[in-house]
Amino acid sequence: MTGPRPAGDLASAYERCRRIAAEHGRTYYLATRLLPREHRSAVHALYGFARTVDDIVDVAPDGGQSAALDRIEDLFDAAVTGRPVDDPGTGPILAALADTIDRYGIDVDLFRAFLASMRMDVPGTPAFRATYPDMPALQQYMYGSAAVIGLQMLPVLGTTVPVAEAAPYAAALGEAFQLTNFLRDVGEDLDRGRVYLPADELAAFGVDADLLRHCRATGVSEPRVRRALAHVVAVTRGVYRRAEPGLELLEPRVRPGLRAAFVLYRGILDEIEDSGFRVLDRRVAVPRRRRLAVAAPLLVRTVVGAG
């Protein structure tokens, strides 16, 4: 258990995480606005940590990511064992995260699994994977990068059944969100030297990383690529269907917020289809008007339920 922290410092730490979520996760942040107030800060803390680590992998200078991950893992260990974290950049985020872990009894091994998967994104390290040969290999990565996020959220949100019963659905929802991100960000990931789509399933449509890079460089919309992406979209919709029953296992007051996240993230797949699968030369997103159309009725349900 971590030691007590000054209330003012902790409030500031949570506010830092809220700002990170508001700046970087528009769909995610809108969904958290639909959660009861007492849940929001913890969700922001979980997001703030995940985003900070993700930025280390994607933004830190080449060659510096591994050392930066070592550093943040050491700081994480310090924070969750009550030792001081003297780092102005990550200290507040880790303070909010450690408080959230304490308050909700979240298994710290879930965060270690997340950090392990992030190491698979760092070129030049033994764990690095630029491509994944098949879906089982990709799912091993997604356990740490996505499934554990859903599992971290369960104690925060609360369930109407034992957590172990809801866990497979939460893990599937994290995987569905991650696959959606992979589809939306194919072009950006190629620029970083990575492909997060199963190579064997792409190959079935005559697609490989070289063809994806060619389409990225030229802006050409290749029929084989469109068919391959349509297949992965269909696979991802199947993961959403597998995850959806778990929404009803959550505490009633948090269901509107998670329903919004579910509908909005799944809606990214619609936008990908509507664009003609043009994810290699642009970044598709759910339009603001559609996000608000989804959120507004769920917000009413949240307010009524709180009353």
Side-chain angles (χ1 to χ4, degrees):
M1 300 291 287
T2 62
R5 300 183 184 86
D9 288 351
L10 197 52
S12 176
Y14 275 113
E15 173 59 18
R16 171 84 167 272
C17 294
R18 187 200 67 78
R19 291 197 302 268
I20 291 171
E23 179 181 355
H24 296 288
R26 290 178 300 177
T27 297
Y28 182 96
Y29 184 70
L30 178 59
T32 63
R33 296 288 294 170
L34 301 177
L35 293 174
R37 185 177 299 276
E38 64 269 22
H39 296 278
R40 295 177 199 165
S41 61
V43 174
H44 293 153
L46 294 174
Y47 181 91
F49 176 72
R51 180 72 198 198
T52 298
V53 175
D54 193 58
D55 282 348
I56 287 173
V57 172
D58 290 339
V59 179
D62 288 346
Q65 299 103 319
S66 185
L69 283 174
D70 289 343
R71 168 73 172 161
I72 200 165
E73 188 159 10
D74 288 343
L75 294 174
F76 171 80
D77 288 339
V80 298
T81 55
R83 289 177 282 140
V85 177
D86 297 323
D87 185 282
T90 59
I93 296 162
L94 289 168
L97 180 70
D99 184 68
T100 293
I101 290 171
D102 275 353
R103 283 194 290 141
Y104 293 98
I106 304 173
D107 184 354
V108 295
D109 285 341
L110 296 174
F111 299 91
R112 301 192 198 286
F114 171 72
L115 290 166
S117 278
M118 293 303 96
R119 292 183 184 280
M120 297 170 70
D121 288 332
V122 179
T125 64
F128 176 64
R129 299 291 297 269
T131 61
Y132 292 83
D134 49 35
M135 185 60 80
L138 184 60
Q139 286 171 327
Q140 288 180 354
Y141 169 81
M142 288 194 295
Y143 171 75
S145 68
V148 298
I149 305 299
L151 297 174
Q152 291 166 15
M153 291 275 286
L154 274 185
V156 174
L157 300 175
T159 60
T160 58
V161 298
V163 169
E165 186 175 332
Y169 300 100
L173 187 58
E175 185 177 308
F177 288 172
Q178 181 74 293
L179 284 168
T180 302
N181 285 336
F182 289 160
L183 284 159
R184 181 190 60 190
D185 299 337
V186 171
E188 294 177 13
D189 289 332
L190 277 170
D191 293 344
R192 300 183 182 109
R194 303 193 289 263
V195 179
Y196 294 106
L197 301 175
D200 64 339
E201 298 191 26
L202 295 180
F205 296 89
V207 175
D208 59 15
D210 287 340
L211 180 58
L212 293 175
R213 282 190 285 267
H214 171 76
C215 293
R216 173 69 167 169
T218 62
V220 171
S221 180
E222 226 279 354
R224 288 174 291 171
V225 172
R226 292 198 298 272
R227 288 193 291 268
L229 293 174
H231 165 72
V232 181
V233 166
V235 169
T236 304
R237 290 192 189 283
V239 182
Y240 277 103
R241 287 192 294 272
R242 179 154 49 88
E244 188 168 13
L247 298 177
E248 296 305 310
L249 304 182
L250 299 171
E251 289 287 351
R253 291 184 65 210
V254 306
R255 290 176 194 167
L258 267 292
R259 173 63 64 178
F262 182 94
V263 172
L264 289 169
Y265 251 88
R266 189 176 57 182
I268 295 172
L269 301 179
D270 297 332
E271 298 300 323
I272 290 172
E273 288 179 329
D274 292 346
S275 76
F277 302 96
R278 296 290 296 270
V279 291
L280 287 166
D281 63 344
R282 66 193 68 180
R283 191 176 196 268
V284 303
V286 178
R288 184 172 183 272
R289 65 183 181 278
R290 185 171 176 184
R291 294 200 303 269
L292 294 176
V294 169
L298 293 171
L299 178 59
V300 171
R301 285 170 53 186
T302 300
V303 172
V304 171

